Amino acid sequence: MSRKFLAAVGSAALALTLAACGGEGAGSGGDTSDKKPADLTIGVSMPTQTSERWIADGNAVKQKLESKGYKVDLQYAGDDIPTQSQQVDQMITRGADVLVIAAIDGTALSSQLQTAADAKIPVIAYDRLIRDSKNVDFYVSFDNYKVGVAQATALLVGLGLQNKDGSKGTATGPFNVELFAGSLDDNNAHFFYNGAMDTLKPYIDNKSLVVKSGQTKIEQVATLRWQQETAQKRMEDLLTSAYNDGAKIDGVLSPYDGLSRGIITALQNAGYGGAGKKMPVVTGQDAEIASVKLINDGVQGSTIFKDTRLLAEQAVVAAEAYLQGKEPQANDVKTYDNGVKVVPSFLLPVQTVYKDDIKPVLIDSGYWSAEEVASGQAKS
Ligand code: BGC
């Protein structure tokens, strides 16, 4: 219904858009159901190539769409907001019929999304919700709150406060822990942190976990653009401030493998993992190959595996539904309020990976090979 409504109010703007780009491109003006895949283009906007998960996502979406005969305009924005805005603008003027966007800043693409809506180009938010805009049609992601719960649970399990089956562990603490969150402009960072903090709070309240720095608010522990170096620097600062009295740190909640590696480097530089200074339990996310090796080597405690192959598949299913003039099937229509509307979503489950899970979950499913895990490097 909203699509038809938008189609009506957007037609004048569409004419302008078409005029502005010489009367060519700018999608198919909405109805693509009678077109052949070869005449349809999907614009895929990914945030960065510094993290291998986004490279895998981009490649998987492209390859799946191309195998169905569609044309794909895949762009990476180098974690730079103006670049992403410009790339999405270009996708629209080059004739995208559907947009699949993993936003750097979930609120920064409003004008591009308005242009897309005016041209009746459906927009699918990929993994990261686009906020504060009515012009987002669908969302494909994982259960991001559960990612946070799983990360916090892995921290508790690693410390021995809880067993893998959820029962109470034999350890009692108190354990010194520090908390990290992702980029505040990424909606997911809040879901991860909320899930984690809801899980850790009882342990902080009963003092079996002590956040020695006192930094527990997301604003205090966030990491702009999910940068590894920023996390490393903050960990170094924490060690020289909150831990300069000889106290040891036992665990670190980290929301993403890249941050975990920065944190681990800071810890190693301070002697952790060496004689008499046990490496703290460090969590993660994304099953990046360098971190899977660290888990295999007993350095990083865990990661959360989100199968990007399945996410890419869902993005393709949703894109294809729009191209065929249908609405994609949601499995969640209440969780993801973007500030303007609840965006219908398709959410996938997540899986915690400890050392013992590497073979059954990652190697046996073909996500990584045994050689890649041993070397810590992805084969291209
Ligand atoms: C994704 C995570 C990823 C993070 C950093 C988030 O939006 O959901 O999988 O670790 O961005 O790239």
Side-chain angles (χ1 to χ4, degrees):
M1 186 214 81
S2 59
R3 176 147 301 284
K4 292 223 173 76
F5 175 71
L6 284 174
V9 296
S11 56
L14 171 65
L16 284 176
T17 310
L18 288 171
C21 63
E24 286 178 349
S28 315
D31 186 7
T32 50
S33 54
D34 57 346
K35 295 214 170 179
K36 288 199 288 300
D39 297 325
L40 295 167
T41 303
I42 295 91
V44 182
S45 173
M46 290 284 151
T48 178
Q49 280 172 303
T50 56
S51 156
E52 81 210 359
R53 85 145 279 193
W54 298 113
I55 300 175
D57 284 281
N59 288 343
V61 175
K62 183 169 161 48
Q63 181 248 313
K64 283 176 205 290
L65 285 167
E66 284 178 347
S67 72
K68 287 169 176 278
Y70 296 105
K71 284 192 275 193
V72 178
D73 184 357
L74 168 64
Q75 305 289 333
Y76 286 91
D79 254 341
D80 182 55
I81 296 166
T83 302
Q84 187 162 43
S85 307
Q86 203 181 31
Q87 287 175 340
V88 173
D89 272 333
Q90 279 167 359
M91 287 174 191
I92 296 170
T93 52
R94 282 200 292 253
D97 296 286
V98 172
L99 290 170
V100 176
I101 303 174
I104 298 165
D105 177 328
T107 60
L109 292 168
S110 307
S111 101
Q112 285 70 30
L113 298 187
Q114 191 56 52
T115 312
D118 293 343
K120 291 182 274 170
I121 302 170
V123 173
I124 299 166
Y126 187 92
D127 196 49
R128 295 176 173 175
L129 186 64
I130 297 175
R131 291 193 52 85
D132 300 342
S133 169
K134 64 181 185 314
N135 302 317
V136 188
D137 297 286
F138 201 70
Y139 180 41
V140 291
S141 189
F142 296 86
D143 190 327
N144 293 305
Y145 181 86
K146 278 202 189 137
V147 170
V149 172
Q151 289 169 334
T153 304
L155 180 61
L156 297 173
V157 169
L159 292 170
L161 287 167
Q162 210 184 90
N163 299 318
K164 283 187 189 170
D165 64 7
S167 60
K168 197 171 179 311
T170 48
T172 50
F175 294 111
N176 290 327
V177 295
E178 293 298 333
L179 313 169
F180 283 71
S183 198
L184 291 177
D185 51 9
D186 179 348
N187 193 55
N188 288 351
H190 301 266
F191 275 76
F192 301 152
Y193 199 65
N194 288 343
M197 287 310 273
D198 287 350
T199 310
L200 296 181
K201 190 162 182 303
Y203 294 85
I204 296 174
D205 288 348
N206 74 15
K207 308 226 172 2
S208 43
L209 293 180
V210 177
V211 184
K212 202 158 180 297
S213 68
Q215 299 180 4
T216 55
K217 292 204 182 70
I218 190 166
E219 294 77 15
Q220 296 174 304
V221 305
T223 316
L224 183 66
R225 297 284 115 74
W226 302 88
Q227 295 269 327
Q228 176 166 340
E229 308 72 42
T230 308
Q232 180 174 334
K233 174 80 174 56
R234 176 163 177 260
M235 190 71 243
E236 286 164 359
D237 290 347
L238 287 170
L239 290 172
T240 50
S241 53
Y243 296 86
N244 66 354
D245 59 359
K248 292 209 179 79
I249 175 164
D250 303 300
V252 182
L253 174 83
S254 166
Y256 154 55
D257 286 344
L259 303 192
S260 314
R261 294 196 296 277
I263 291 162
I264 287 169
T265 302
L267 290 165
Q268 286 172 332
N269 290 344
Y272 283 93
K277 245 177 156 184
K278 213 168 144 238
M279 178 56 80
V281 178
V282 181
T283 65
Q285 173 173 205
D286 290 339
E288 292 201 333
I289 192 60
S291 289
V292 175
K293 176 175 165 39
L294 288 175
I295 295 170
N296 205 35
D297 293 347
V299 179
Q300 185 172 321
S302 60
T303 189
I304 308 299
F305 176 48
K306 307 197 303 190
D307 195 332
T308 49
R309 298 167 299 190
L310 301 182
L311 186 61
E313 182 66 42
Q314 280 313 315
V316 170
V317 168
E320 201 161 36
Y322 284 125
L323 293 171
Q324 293 169 353
K326 301 180 214 147
E327 289 291 323
Q329 184 93 44
N331 67 2
D332 183 299
V333 289
K334 60 178 191 337
T335 307
Y336 286 98
D337 186 334
N338 79 346
V340 175
K341 68 178 200 182
V342 177
V343 183
S345 310
F346 195 97
L347 305 181
L348 291 157
V350 302
Q351 210 169 348
T352 306
V353 171
Y354 301 98
K355 183 173 177 168
D356 288 352
D357 305 301
I358 292 175
K359 182 167 179 335
V361 177
L362 299 178
I363 297 177
D364 292 353
S365 76
Y367 198 77
W368 296 123
S369 68
E371 293 71 35
E372 288 172 315
V373 172
S375 71
Q377 281 185 355
K379 283 210 190 103
S380 47

